[in-house]
Amino acid sequence: MNLLETILSAQNGDVVRQVANNFQLDEGQAKSAMGALLPALTQGISKNASGSQGLGDLIGALTGGNHSKYIDQPEVLAESGTVEEGNKILGHILGSKDVSRQVASRAAESSGVDSGILKQMLPMLASVAMGAMAKKGLGNASAGQPEGLGGMLTGILDADKDGSALDDIMGMA
């Protein structure tokens, strides 16, 4: 299951409903917006994690943070702390507000949702993405399933989707 599917199915769709409610969208629009924004976030995470320091920082954030609350308790998405944390995450993975604006603008073209709404949604979705990665990676690892954190990171870092992130990581190096 990829990251978007994990987010869309989280809590039987409660995450999508909460995002839709926060931005006065219907669920279809929220799904479309999330689907348009998430590829840029995963690319940013992949690029950021391509170096040993970045990968270590990502693993540290996933194992040390309480990001899974954004999946387990979708109601916290409406809190200001979610946006604050999301903006910090965006700073790490996208680097600047200009890049965030570009991501929102491109996503508006493909989703049909206003770029102003998408700019506001980005920090929330960044928090949700970290929550989904933490939940999926750490949940599987703790359940003794082979995918675990390594499998989850492989899914993000495997840019060419050939089942191995090693060639992609070597290419980044």
Side-chain angles (χ1 to χ4, degrees):
M1 184 179 289
N2 70 32
L3 193 58
L4 179 60
E5 291 169 349
T6 300
I7 292 169
L8 295 179
S9 65
Q11 300 298 325
N12 296 315
D14 284 350
V15 171
V16 174
R17 281 187 285 284
Q18 185 67 51
V19 170
N21 289 338
N22 286 359
F23 297 101
Q24 290 80 45
L25 300 172
D26 65 40
E27 287 183 37
Q29 290 172 308
K31 285 179 182 179
S32 180
M34 294 166 82
L37 291 171
L38 199 59
L41 294 177
T42 56
Q43 276 185 328
I45 291 167
S46 177
K47 184 177 178 185
N48 191 278
S50 65
S52 60
Q53 168 117 16
L55 183 58
D57 289 348
L58 176 61
I59 292 171
L62 291 173
T63 58
N66 186 21
H67 301 291
S68 61
K69 70 182 175 186
Y70 301 117
I71 297 297
D72 293 336
Q73 304 163 358
E75 64 276 5
V76 303
L77 295 175
E79 296 175 1
S80 62
T82 300
V83 173
E84 290 172 27
E85 185 167 354
N87 279 324
K88 290 177 186 174
I89 294 166
L90 287 174
H92 287 288
I93 62 175
L94 297 180
S96 75
K97 290 185 185 245
D98 288 337
V99 175
S100 293
R101 287 184 199 107
Q102 291 171 7
V103 166
S105 179
R106 282 193 300 266
E109 293 172 12
S110 64
S111 70
V113 176
D114 182 74
S115 66
I117 292 172
L118 296 176
K119 282 188 269 189
Q120 294 175 34
M121 189 183 291
L122 257 173
M124 184 181 295
L125 189 56
S127 296
V128 168
M130 286 295 286
M133 290 189 307
K135 186 85 175 156
K136 184 176 179 185
L138 301 177
N140 287 344
S142 64
Q145 295 178 11
E147 185 173 309
L149 188 57
M152 183 269 311
L153 290 174
T154 295
I156 292 170
L157 297 175
D158 184 14
D160 60 7
K161 305 299 179 208
D162 65 354
S164 171
L166 185 57
D167 60 325
D168 302 291
I169 294 169
M170 294 303 289
M172 291 176 204

